[in-house]
Amino acid sequence: MTKPRKQVHLAVHFPGVNNTTVWSDPRSGSHIDFSSFEHLAKTAERAKFDFLFLAEGLRLREYAGRIHDLDVVGRPDTFTVLAALAAVTDRLGLAGTINSTFNEPYEVARQFATLDHLSDGRAAWNVVTSWDAFTGENFRRGGFLPADQRYERAERFMRTAWELFDSWNGVEVLADRESGRFVSDPAAGAFTHHDDHFAIEGRFAVPTSPQGRPVIFQAGDSDGGREFAAATADAIFSRHGEFTAGQAFYADVKGRLARYGREHEDLLVLPAATFVLGDTDAEAQDLAAEVRRQQTSGPTAIRLLEEVWNRDLSGYDPDGPLPDVDPVAGENTVVKGRASVRQHRDPFAVARQWRELAEAKGLSIRDLAIHVSGEQTFIGSPATVAETINRAVQEDASDGVILVPHITPGGLDEFADKVVPLLQERGVFRTEYEGTTLRSHLGLRP
Ligand SMILES: Cc1cc2nc3c(=O)[nH]c(=O)nc-3n(C[C@H](O)[C@H](O)[C@H](O)COP(=O)(O)O)c2cc1C
């Protein structure tokens, strides 16, 4: 028997503050004006996407004590933007990244329940655990949570939030003028929660929302993060968009589900993916190379090296060879607030590897930075890109993708117009929304 064809899930990530976003392109608009959020959301909804995704940074990044303004700087608040988008869209899911290290469950649960009401059941919460002390200072708590406790707190946070979401379960708002009763059960919203992270009790303020609980996303990649996802999440936002790595990640996280009594289809794997389209594959390759050079200017390349070297390299020529000095050991004091710094766990090994690569291929600092930043995930004609995405889904490298355009806000237009119809022709992507909730778009159990 042939395997039934899987449906592709598509989402769009509002272009963020990394150098992926080419703000210097003449086509680029504001990343703050509401019209930009609205444009991207309406494009995604016109194309019948599952959801729009907002990442979140809780502190502006700094280099050598100054704001890092080579990339876009400034971040509007997630809940406020999503609430405004709920009013101008009808079916599109609205996913927000909210940290479990620096927030409190009551407040977050109240905000998500409200978003779910305002959107008629389209809210999703990407639970992240970013922990660095630099971010914590914004919240006057410094690095109050040791790294190894952040998933413990996240797990307690989720459990607490679920109790709050469920506290009105089955209670009806009667508003019965005859009897003078407003709700069907006077115990509505009552909760008591005590554990080693949270000790709260009272009444939850928001009646049950259309989805009951928002859809839960998880984006951590460590063993703890994957385990947390297997236990609690409906979907994982992963960084493994490349086919082979995607298949390995997919098998790994799906393989963890049984331990928690969950089924294969209870957790979707949705990697972040960048893309460049051209009329032909060759044209797309040329455009993609051009975009990578736009994304990695000389100064950006120097900054990228400073993430590894942990020292001021501003005196180096981006078009010259790699620094011959060694990295400075210890916590990075030059680059602050960038998640990628943590990926270079052994800076000496990375520096050695990059020098060898640059020597072998004759790369300058800027060439090397472009090389190690990697190619876009999908490059090609609309037909090539549609087929590549479909293959990844059918062959279990993912269940869909969260697209990250490099232009704000028009970077999804061409994909919506040219790639989506090809996926629809293949019968692997919806031509109309069937349900009204995000849970329904994602094919998740209620
Ligand atoms: C694809 C991806 C996107 C992420 N987006 C955010 C984000 O927007 N905001 C944030 O604070 N952390 C974000 N994170 C960080 C993770 O959620 C997590 O907190 C971090 O990776 C540390 O957890 P880990 O050690 O399990 O990877 C992202 C991680 C991944 C893999």
Side-chain angles (χ1 to χ4, degrees), residues 55-56 97 128-130 150-151 219-222 225 237-239 342:
E56 180 167 74
T97 299
V128 297
T129 63
S130 316
R150 64 214 157 91
Y151 280 112
D221 199 34
S222 61
F237 178 31
S238 99
R239 60 166 70 96
R342 292 202 305 278

mmCIF file of all heavy atoms in Angstrom, residues 55-56 97 128-130 150-151 219-222 225 237-239 342, ligand 1:
data_model
loop_
_atom_site.group_PDB
_atom_site.id
_atom_site.type_symbol
_atom_site.label_atom_id
_atom_site.label_comp_id
_atom_site.label_asym_id
_atom_site.label_seq_id
_atom_site.Cartn_x
_atom_site.Cartn_y
_atom_site.Cartn_z
ATOM 1 N N ALA A 55 9.112 36.156 16.487
ATOM 2 C CA ALA A 55 10.178 35.818 17.433
ATOM 3 C C ALA A 55 10.225 36.932 18.476
ATOM 4 O O ALA A 55 9.533 37.938 18.346
ATOM 5 C CB ALA A 55 11.505 35.714 16.706
ATOM 6 N N GLU A 56 11.022 36.761 19.502
ATOM 7 C CA GLU A 56 11.126 37.835 20.487
ATOM 8 C C GLU A 56 12.522 37.950 21.049
ATOM 9 O O GLU A 56 13.159 36.945 21.367
ATOM 10 C CB GLU A 56 10.150 37.595 21.638
ATOM 11 C CG GLU A 56 10.237 38.696 22.682
ATOM 12 C CD GLU A 56 9.096 38.671 23.654
ATOM 13 O OE1 GLU A 56 9.095 37.787 24.519
ATOM 14 O OE2 GLU A 56 8.217 39.548 23.561
ATOM 15 N N THR A 97 6.342 34.313 20.482
ATOM 16 C CA THR A 97 7.410 33.746 21.294
ATOM 17 C C THR A 97 7.419 34.451 22.644
ATOM 18 O O THR A 97 7.569 35.676 22.703
ATOM 19 C CB THR A 97 8.759 33.952 20.582
ATOM 20 O OG1 THR A 97 8.706 33.280 19.324
ATOM 21 C CG2 THR A 97 9.921 33.416 21.401
ATOM 22 N N VAL A 128 10.025 29.752 24.974
ATOM 23 C CA VAL A 128 11.487 29.730 24.924
ATOM 24 C C VAL A 128 12.071 29.961 26.307
ATOM 25 O O VAL A 128 11.410 30.483 27.199
ATOM 26 C CB VAL A 128 12.073 30.752 23.924
ATOM 27 C CG1 VAL A 128 11.645 30.430 22.502
ATOM 28 C CG2 VAL A 128 11.685 32.170 24.294
ATOM 29 N N THR A 129 13.331 29.563 26.453
ATOM 30 C CA THR A 129 13.935 29.545 27.787
ATOM 31 C C THR A 129 15.230 30.355 27.862
ATOM 32 O O THR A 129 16.010 30.156 28.777
ATOM 33 C CB THR A 129 14.274 28.099 28.186
ATOM 34 O OG1 THR A 129 15.259 27.612 27.266
ATOM 35 C CG2 THR A 129 13.065 27.193 28.155
ATOM 36 N N SER A 130 15.467 31.211 26.860
ATOM 37 C CA SER A 130 16.751 31.940 26.813
ATOM 38 C C SER A 130 17.079 32.497 28.194
ATOM 39 O O SER A 130 16.214 33.017 28.867
ATOM 40 C CB SER A 130 16.681 33.068 25.797
ATOM 41 O OG SER A 130 16.062 32.565 24.630
ATOM 42 N N ARG A 150 16.566 26.007 33.495
ATOM 43 C CA ARG A 150 15.566 26.756 32.718
ATOM 44 C C ARG A 150 14.475 25.868 32.155
ATOM 45 O O ARG A 150 13.334 26.298 32.052
ATOM 46 C CB ARG A 150 16.216 27.648 31.684
ATOM 47 C CG ARG A 150 16.950 26.975 30.635
ATOM 48 C CD ARG A 150 18.146 27.749 30.164
ATOM 49 N NE ARG A 150 19.005 26.770 29.579
ATOM 50 C CZ ARG A 150 18.979 26.434 28.307
ATOM 51 N NH1 ARG A 150 18.185 27.080 27.471
ATOM 52 N NH2 ARG A 150 19.725 25.475 27.851
ATOM 53 N N TYR A 151 14.782 24.595 31.820
ATOM 54 C CA TYR A 151 13.701 23.722 31.339
ATOM 55 C C TYR A 151 12.858 23.181 32.490
ATOM 56 O O TYR A 151 11.685 22.872 32.311
ATOM 57 C CB TYR A 151 14.233 22.596 30.451
ATOM 58 C CG TYR A 151 14.497 23.106 29.056
ATOM 59 C CD1 TYR A 151 15.783 23.200 28.557
ATOM 60 C CD2 TYR A 151 13.441 23.551 28.260
ATOM 61 C CE1 TYR A 151 16.021 23.716 27.292
ATOM 62 C CE2 TYR A 151 13.667 24.075 26.999
ATOM 63 C CZ TYR A 151 14.956 24.155 26.518
ATOM 64 O OH TYR A 151 15.185 24.686 25.280
ATOM 65 N N ALA A 219 11.208 25.801 20.844
ATOM 66 C CA ALA A 219 12.271 26.100 19.879
ATOM 67 C C ALA A 219 13.672 25.761 20.385
ATOM 68 O O ALA A 219 14.644 26.100 19.730
ATOM 69 C CB ALA A 219 12.222 27.574 19.464
ATOM 70 N N GLY A 220 13.786 25.105 21.511
ATOM 71 C CA GLY A 220 15.131 24.777 22.015
ATOM 72 C C GLY A 220 15.674 23.557 21.290
ATOM 73 O O GLY A 220 14.916 22.717 20.808
ATOM 74 N N ASP A 221 16.981 23.445 21.240
ATOM 75 C CA ASP A 221 17.598 22.403 20.428
ATOM 76 C C ASP A 221 18.413 21.416 21.263
ATOM 77 O O ASP A 221 18.810 20.354 20.799
ATOM 78 C CB ASP A 221 18.512 23.076 19.400
ATOM 79 C CG ASP A 221 18.821 22.155 18.246
ATOM 80 O OD1 ASP A 221 17.937 21.350 17.882
ATOM 81 O OD2 ASP A 221 19.939 22.229 17.730
ATOM 82 N N SER A 222 18.664 21.760 22.525
ATOM 83 C CA SER A 222 19.466 20.888 23.391
ATOM 84 C C SER A 222 18.648 19.631 23.716
ATOM 85 O O SER A 222 17.456 19.564 23.411
ATOM 86 C CB SER A 222 19.787 21.619 24.698
ATOM 87 O OG SER A 222 18.580 21.943 25.365
ATOM 88 N N GLY A 225 15.758 20.602 25.706
ATOM 89 C CA GLY A 225 14.753 21.275 24.883
ATOM 90 C C GLY A 225 13.925 20.274 24.094
ATOM 91 O O GLY A 225 12.700 20.386 23.989
ATOM 92 N N PHE A 237 9.714 24.494 16.470
ATOM 93 C CA PHE A 237 10.342 25.399 15.513
ATOM 94 C C PHE A 237 11.823 25.039 15.551
ATOM 95 O O PHE A 237 12.496 25.311 16.544
ATOM 96 C CB PHE A 237 10.083 26.836 15.974
ATOM 97 C CG PHE A 237 10.702 27.893 15.114
ATOM 98 C CD1 PHE A 237 10.875 27.699 13.749
ATOM 99 C CD2 PHE A 237 11.078 29.108 15.659
ATOM 100 C CE1 PHE A 237 11.427 28.693 12.958
ATOM 101 C CE2 PHE A 237 11.635 30.108 14.879
ATOM 102 C CZ PHE A 237 11.805 29.901 13.528
ATOM 103 N N SER A 238 12.314 24.394 14.476
ATOM 104 C CA SER A 238 13.691 23.906 14.539
ATOM 105 C C SER A 238 14.600 24.703 13.618
ATOM 106 O O SER A 238 14.137 25.460 12.771
ATOM 107 C CB SER A 238 13.740 22.419 14.153
ATOM 108 O OG SER A 238 14.125 22.261 12.806
ATOM 109 N N ARG A 239 15.906 24.536 13.785
ATOM 110 C CA ARG A 239 16.824 25.181 12.862
ATOM 111 C C ARG A 239 17.359 24.189 11.835
ATOM 112 O O ARG A 239 18.274 24.504 11.100
ATOM 113 C CB ARG A 239 17.961 25.881 13.629
ATOM 114 C CG ARG A 239 18.827 25.015 14.498
ATOM 115 C CD ARG A 239 20.091 25.781 14.904
ATOM 116 N NE ARG A 239 19.778 26.851 15.849
ATOM 117 C CZ ARG A 239 19.883 26.734 17.160
ATOM 118 N NH1 ARG A 239 20.305 25.618 17.704
ATOM 119 N NH2 ARG A 239 19.590 27.747 17.941
ATOM 120 N N ARG A 342 26.429 31.381 21.702
ATOM 121 C CA ARG A 342 26.460 30.145 22.488
ATOM 122 C C ARG A 342 26.731 28.905 21.639
ATOM 123 O O ARG A 342 27.056 27.853 22.160
ATOM 124 C CB ARG A 342 25.132 29.957 23.224
ATOM 125 C CG ARG A 342 24.894 30.968 24.307
ATOM 126 C CD ARG A 342 23.900 30.438 25.320
ATOM 127 N NE ARG A 342 22.657 30.014 24.729
ATOM 128 C CZ ARG A 342 21.660 30.817 24.406
ATOM 129 N NH1 ARG A 342 21.762 32.094 24.608
ATOM 130 N NH2 ARG A 342 20.553 30.336 23.883
HETATM 131 C C1 LIG B 1 14.762 28.192 15.392
HETATM 132 C C2 LIG B 1 14.895 28.808 16.757
HETATM 133 C C3 LIG B 1 14.288 30.036 17.008
HETATM 134 C C4 LIG B 1 14.377 30.634 18.271
HETATM 135 N N1 LIG B 1 13.773 31.840 18.500
HETATM 136 C C5 LIG B 1 13.903 32.449 19.704
HETATM 137 C C6 LIG B 1 13.337 33.724 19.950
HETATM 138 O O1 LIG B 1 12.713 34.327 19.108
HETATM 139 N N2 LIG B 1 13.510 34.282 21.162
HETATM 140 C C7 LIG B 1 14.201 33.666 22.153
HETATM 141 O O2 LIG B 1 14.304 34.221 23.234
HETATM 142 N N3 LIG B 1 14.767 32.467 21.940
HETATM 143 C C8 LIG B 1 14.637 31.840 20.751
HETATM 144 N N4 LIG B 1 15.222 30.619 20.533
HETATM 145 C C9 LIG B 1 15.989 30.051 21.624
HETATM 146 C C10 LIG B 1 15.413 28.763 22.214
HETATM 147 O O3 LIG B 1 14.093 28.734 22.354
HETATM 148 C C11 LIG B 1 16.060 28.364 23.494
HETATM 149 O O4 LIG B 1 15.702 29.228 24.490
HETATM 150 C C12 LIG B 1 17.541 28.341 23.305
HETATM 151 O O5 LIG B 1 17.813 27.696 22.104
HETATM 152 C C13 LIG B 1 18.187 27.640 24.437
HETATM 153 O O6 LIG B 1 17.664 26.366 24.555
HETATM 154 P P1 LIG B 1 18.416 25.086 24.068
HETATM 155 O O7 LIG B 1 19.641 25.026 24.881
HETATM 156 O O8 LIG B 1 17.458 23.955 24.303
HETATM 157 O O9 LIG B 1 18.705 25.240 22.593
HETATM 158 C C14 LIG B 1 15.121 30.002 19.282
HETATM 159 C C15 LIG B 1 15.722 28.771 19.014
HETATM 160 C C16 LIG B 1 15.607 28.172 17.779
HETATM 161 C C17 LIG B 1 16.257 26.831 17.555
#
